[in-house]
Amino acid sequence: EPEVTQTPSHQVTQMGQEVILRCVPISNHLYFYWYRQILGQKVEFLVSFYNNEISEKSEIFDDQFSVERPDGSNFTLKIRSTKLEDSAMYFCASSGGGGATDTQYFGPGTRLTVL
Amino acid sequence: AQSVTQLDSQVPVFEEAPVELRCNYSSSVSVYLFWYVQYPNQGLQLLLKYLSGSTLVKGINGFEAEFNKSQTSFHLRKPSVHISDTAEYFCAVTPSEFGNEKLTFGTGTRLTIIP
Protein backbone atom coordinates (compact mmCIF):
# COMPACT_ATOMS: atom_id res chain seq x y z
CA GLU A 1 0.00 0.00 0.00
CA PRO A 2 1.36 3.44 -0.89
CA GLU A 3 2.50 5.52 2.04
CA VAL A 4 3.89 8.91 2.90
CA THR A 5 7.52 8.83 3.99
CA GLN A 6 9.48 11.42 5.95
CA THR A 7 13.18 11.95 6.56
CA PRO A 8 14.93 12.21 8.89
CA SER A 9 13.01 10.50 11.67
CA HIS A 10 14.83 12.64 14.24
CA GLN A 11 16.68 15.91 13.72
CA VAL A 12 18.70 17.68 16.39
CA THR A 13 19.81 21.24 15.69
CA GLN A 14 21.17 24.29 17.44
CA MET A 15 18.99 27.34 17.94
CA GLY A 16 19.32 29.72 14.99
CA GLN A 17 20.22 27.03 12.49
CA GLU A 18 18.23 26.26 9.38
CA VAL A 19 16.57 22.87 9.02
CA ILE A 20 14.86 21.19 6.12
CA LEU A 21 12.37 18.43 6.77
CA ARG A 22 11.65 16.17 3.84
CA CYS A 23 8.54 14.31 2.80
CA VAL A 24 7.69 12.05 -0.11
CA PRO A 25 3.90 12.13 -0.58
CA ILE A 26 1.90 9.36 -2.21
CA SER A 27 2.77 9.52 -5.89
CA ASN A 28 -0.55 10.49 -7.50
CA HIS A 29 -1.59 12.90 -4.75
CA LEU A 30 -1.95 16.59 -5.50
CA TYR A 31 -2.54 18.21 -2.10
CA PHE A 32 0.14 18.39 0.57
CA TYR A 33 0.13 19.45 4.19
CA TRP A 34 2.38 20.02 7.17
CA TYR A 35 1.20 19.65 10.75
CA ARG A 36 3.14 19.71 13.97
CA GLN A 37 2.67 18.43 17.51
CA ILE A 38 4.53 19.97 20.40
CA LEU A 39 5.00 17.37 23.13
CA GLY A 40 1.81 16.98 25.14
CA GLN A 41 -0.16 19.34 22.94
CA LYS A 42 -2.53 19.07 19.99
CA VAL A 43 -1.60 18.25 16.44
CA GLU A 44 -1.72 21.67 14.75
CA PHE A 45 -2.15 22.56 11.09
CA LEU A 46 0.71 24.56 9.60
CA VAL A 47 0.18 24.82 5.86
CA SER A 48 -1.50 23.31 2.83
CA PHE A 49 0.00 23.32 -0.66
CA TYR A 50 -1.49 22.74 -4.08
CA ASN A 51 -0.40 23.45 -7.63
CA ASN A 52 2.95 24.77 -6.45
CA GLU A 53 1.58 27.35 -4.11
CA ILE A 54 0.35 27.69 -0.56
CA SER A 55 -3.44 27.38 -0.38
CA GLU A 56 -3.81 28.01 3.33
CA LYS A 57 -1.50 28.64 6.28
CA SER A 58 -1.95 29.05 10.00
CA GLU A 59 -0.73 31.89 12.18
CA ILE A 60 2.11 29.62 13.30
CA PHE A 61 3.47 29.57 9.75
CA ASP A 62 5.34 32.86 9.86
CA ASP A 63 8.21 34.15 7.73
CA GLN A 64 10.61 31.66 9.31
CA PHE A 65 8.78 28.82 7.57
CA SER A 66 8.65 27.97 3.90
CA VAL A 67 7.53 25.01 1.83
CA GLU A 68 8.65 23.79 -1.54
CA ARG A 69 8.08 21.00 -3.98
CA PRO A 70 11.52 20.98 -5.57
CA ASP A 71 10.83 18.06 -7.89
CA GLY A 72 8.02 15.68 -8.75
CA SER A 73 8.33 13.61 -5.62
CA ASN A 74 9.58 15.62 -2.62
CA PHE A 75 7.78 18.15 -0.45
CA THR A 76 9.91 20.06 2.02
CA LEU A 77 9.40 22.27 5.07
CA LYS A 78 12.21 24.71 5.82
CA ILE A 79 12.62 26.54 9.08
CA ARG A 80 15.05 29.37 8.45
CA SER A 81 16.26 30.13 11.96
CA THR A 82 15.08 27.61 14.51
CA LYS A 83 13.86 28.59 17.96
CA LEU A 84 13.57 26.44 21.06
CA GLU A 85 9.79 26.49 20.70
CA ASP A 86 10.04 24.89 17.25
CA SER A 87 10.88 21.60 18.97
CA ALA A 88 8.01 19.30 17.97
CA MET A 89 6.99 16.33 15.88
CA TYR A 90 6.34 17.45 12.31
CA PHE A 91 3.91 15.44 10.21
CA CYS A 92 3.56 15.58 6.46
CA ALA A 93 0.28 14.53 4.83
CA SER A 94 -1.07 14.22 1.30
CA SER A 95 -4.47 13.70 -0.29
CA GLY A 96 -5.61 12.83 -3.78
CA GLY A 97 -8.08 15.67 -4.05
CA GLY A 98 -8.81 18.85 -2.26
CA GLY A 99 -11.82 19.30 -0.09
CA ALA A 100 -12.82 18.03 3.28
CA THR A 101 -14.04 14.61 2.14
CA ASP A 102 -10.69 13.45 0.82
CA THR A 103 -8.68 11.42 3.29
CA GLN A 104 -5.34 12.86 4.30
CA TYR A 105 -2.60 10.24 4.55
CA PHE A 106 0.07 11.01 7.11
CA GLY A 107 3.73 10.16 7.32
CA PRO A 108 5.43 8.83 10.49
CA GLY A 109 6.74 12.26 11.43
CA THR A 110 10.09 13.92 12.03
CA ARG A 111 10.97 14.73 15.60
CA LEU A 112 12.78 18.08 15.66
CA THR A 113 14.77 18.94 18.75
CA VAL A 114 16.18 22.47 18.99
CA LEU A 115 18.93 22.93 21.59
CA ALA B 1 -13.11 28.28 14.16
CA GLN B 2 -13.33 24.72 15.38
CA SER B 3 -12.02 23.01 18.50
CA VAL B 4 -11.86 19.41 19.64
CA THR B 5 -11.74 18.12 23.19
CA GLN B 6 -10.57 14.68 24.17
CA LEU B 7 -11.04 14.63 27.90
CA ASP B 8 -9.18 11.38 28.55
CA SER B 9 -5.46 11.62 27.94
CA GLN B 10 -4.90 7.99 28.93
CA VAL B 11 -7.27 5.03 29.03
CA PRO B 12 -6.13 1.65 30.39
CA VAL B 13 -8.40 -1.27 29.47
CA PHE B 14 -8.15 -5.01 30.05
CA GLU B 15 -7.83 -7.18 26.99
CA GLU B 16 -11.20 -8.28 25.55
CA ALA B 17 -13.03 -5.56 27.49
CA PRO B 18 -15.04 -2.85 25.70
CA VAL B 19 -13.70 0.66 25.36
CA GLU B 20 -15.08 4.11 24.61
CA LEU B 21 -12.84 7.06 23.77
CA ARG B 22 -14.62 10.36 24.08
CA CYS B 23 -14.52 13.27 21.66
CA ASN B 24 -16.46 16.51 21.80
CA TYR B 25 -16.19 19.33 19.31
CA SER B 26 -17.18 22.94 18.95
CA SER B 27 -17.96 24.63 15.65
CA SER B 28 -20.17 27.39 14.31
CA VAL B 29 -20.49 25.58 10.95
CA SER B 30 -21.18 22.03 9.86
CA VAL B 31 -18.21 19.73 10.14
CA TYR B 32 -16.92 16.39 9.06
CA LEU B 33 -15.45 14.23 11.81
CA PHE B 34 -12.54 11.81 11.84
CA TRP B 35 -10.72 9.42 14.11
CA TYR B 36 -7.06 8.73 13.43
CA VAL B 37 -4.83 6.19 15.16
CA GLN B 38 -1.09 6.36 15.63
CA TYR B 39 0.73 3.12 16.39
CA PRO B 40 4.23 3.39 17.88
CA ASN B 41 6.75 4.82 15.41
CA GLN B 42 4.15 5.12 12.66
CA GLY B 43 2.15 7.92 11.04
CA LEU B 44 -1.44 8.83 11.69
CA GLN B 45 -3.81 6.35 10.05
CA LEU B 46 -7.48 7.02 9.36
CA LEU B 47 -9.76 4.76 11.42
CA LEU B 48 -13.09 6.14 10.26
CA LYS B 49 -14.87 9.31 9.23
CA TYR B 50 -18.33 10.79 9.35
CA LEU B 51 -19.37 12.89 6.36
CA SER B 52 -23.16 12.51 6.25
CA GLY B 53 -25.94 9.94 6.46
CA SER B 54 -26.10 7.30 9.17
CA THR B 55 -24.75 8.61 12.44
CA LEU B 56 -23.14 5.26 13.26
CA VAL B 57 -19.92 4.87 11.34
CA LYS B 58 -17.90 1.68 11.14
CA GLY B 59 -14.17 1.75 10.58
CA ILE B 60 -11.20 -0.53 10.39
CA ASN B 61 -10.10 -2.99 13.09
CA GLY B 62 -13.60 -3.34 14.56
CA PHE B 63 -13.94 0.27 15.68
CA GLU B 64 -17.10 2.32 15.30
CA ALA B 65 -18.14 5.84 16.23
CA GLU B 66 -21.44 7.59 16.67
CA PHE B 67 -22.06 11.19 15.66
CA ASN B 68 -24.38 13.01 18.04
CA LYS B 69 -25.14 16.47 16.74
CA SER B 70 -27.12 17.64 19.78
CA GLN B 71 -24.29 16.70 22.13
CA THR B 72 -21.58 17.68 19.61
CA SER B 73 -19.87 14.38 20.24
CA PHE B 74 -18.20 11.69 18.17
CA HIS B 75 -17.20 8.95 20.60
CA LEU B 76 -15.16 5.98 19.43
CA ARG B 77 -16.04 2.49 20.61
CA LYS B 78 -14.87 -1.08 20.31
CA PRO B 79 -16.71 -3.99 21.96
CA SER B 80 -13.60 -6.09 22.65
CA VAL B 81 -10.05 -4.75 22.51
CA HIS B 82 -6.83 -6.57 21.70
CA ILE B 83 -3.23 -5.98 22.64
CA SER B 84 -2.66 -4.70 19.11
CA ASP B 85 -5.04 -1.79 19.75
CA THR B 86 -2.46 -0.15 22.01
CA ALA B 87 -1.92 3.22 20.32
CA GLU B 88 -2.68 6.93 20.44
CA TYR B 89 -6.09 7.93 19.10
CA PHE B 90 -6.85 11.37 17.70
CA CYS B 91 -10.23 12.91 16.99
CA ALA B 92 -10.32 15.61 14.31
CA VAL B 93 -12.82 17.86 12.53
CA THR B 94 -12.87 19.97 9.40
CA PRO B 95 -15.53 22.35 8.08
CA SER B 96 -17.73 20.70 5.51
CA GLU B 97 -17.58 23.61 3.06
CA PHE B 98 -15.58 22.83 -0.02
CA GLY B 99 -12.00 23.96 -0.20
CA ASN B 100 -11.38 24.05 3.51
CA GLU B 101 -9.57 20.84 4.24
CA LYS B 102 -7.56 21.87 7.29
CA LEU B 103 -7.93 19.29 10.09
CA THR B 104 -8.31 20.46 13.67
CA PHE B 105 -7.20 17.78 16.12
CA GLY B 106 -7.76 16.99 19.76
CA THR B 107 -4.87 16.30 22.11
CA GLY B 108 -5.17 12.54 21.70
CA THR B 109 -5.99 9.61 23.97
CA ARG B 110 -3.40 6.97 24.72
CA LEU B 111 -5.11 3.58 24.86
CA THR B 112 -3.19 0.96 26.81
CA ILE B 113 -4.39 -2.64 26.75
CA ILE B 114 -3.67 -4.65 29.87
CA PRO B 115 -3.16 -8.39 29.27
Side-chain angles (χ1 to χ4, degrees):
Chain A
E1 184 176 328
E3 58 182 20
V4 177
T5 59
Q6 291 185 243
T7 54
S9 57
H10 191 188
Q11 173 92 47
V12 181
T13 190
Q14 296 289 326
M15 189 169 57
Q17 294 296 304
E18 174 182 288
V19 295
I20 298 176
L21 310 183
R22 291 184 167 80
C23 168
V24 179
I26 293 173
S27 64
N28 60 348
H29 282 185
L30 301 174
Y31 293 80
F32 314 111
Y33 311 86
W34 284 101
Y35 293 81
R36 79 172 185 189
Q37 184 182 30
I38 295 171
L39 189 63
Q41 298 185 24
K42 301 183 181 195
V43 176
E44 302 171 290
F45 169 81
L46 291 179
V47 65
S48 58
F49 189 86
Y50 168 70
N51 200 24
N52 280 322
E53 58 183 37
I54 290 173
S55 46
E56 186 177 0
K57 61 183 180 179
S58 72
E59 59 275 10
I60 302 168
F61 195 88
D62 60 23
D63 293 343
Q64 293 299 313
F65 291 88
S66 62
V67 289
E68 192 179 26
R69 187 151 163 83
D71 53 42
S73 58
N74 290 284
F75 179 52
T76 62
L77 174 69
K78 182 192 293 186
I79 308 176
R80 195 164 298 121
S81 177
T82 50
K83 307 182 188 74
L84 294 176
E85 54 266 34
D86 293 328
S87 293
M89 180 73 89
Y90 288 80
F91 294 104
C92 174
S94 69
S95 68
T101 59
D102 285 279
T103 298
Q104 293 182 28
Y105 294 85
F106 284 77
T110 292
R111 181 167 297 284
L112 176 66
T113 302
V114 182
L115 303 176
Chain B
Q2 292 71 46
S3 67
V4 177
T5 301
Q6 293 181 249
L7 287 173
D8 305 306
S9 60
Q10 296 188 61
V11 173
V13 180
F14 285 103
E15 194 173 11
E16 297 183 8
V19 68
E20 179 178 83
L21 306 184
R22 296 179 295 169
C23 172
N24 288 87
Y25 70 93
S26 172
S27 177
S28 56
V29 300
S30 295
V31 294
Y32 297 139
L33 298 121
F34 306 81
W35 275 100
Y36 279 84
V37 60
Q38 185 180 30
Y39 299 106
N41 301 315
Q42 295 185 31
L44 297 165
Q45 179 184 358
L46 182 69
L47 265 182
L48 48 78
K49 61 184 177 183
Y50 173 78
L51 304 180
S52 64
S54 172
T55 57
L56 183 63
V57 181
K58 294 191 184 299
I60 61 171
N61 302 339
F63 283 92
E64 63 181 31
E66 185 151 23
F67 170 55
N68 188 319
K69 189 173 182 180
S70 62
Q71 296 188 6
T72 60
S73 67
F74 190 54
H75 300 332
L76 181 70
R77 295 191 289 257
K78 185 169 183 178
S80 175
V81 295
H82 303 284
I83 291 287
S84 58
D85 293 323
T86 295
E88 186 106 22
Y89 292 79
F90 296 92
C91 182
V93 301
T94 190
S96 58
E97 67 226 30
F98 180 74
N100 189 343
E101 67 275 15
K102 175 181 73 175
L103 289 169
T104 299
F105 285 89
T107 48
T109 298
R110 184 170 297 278
L111 177 63
T112 302
I113 308 303
I114 305 165

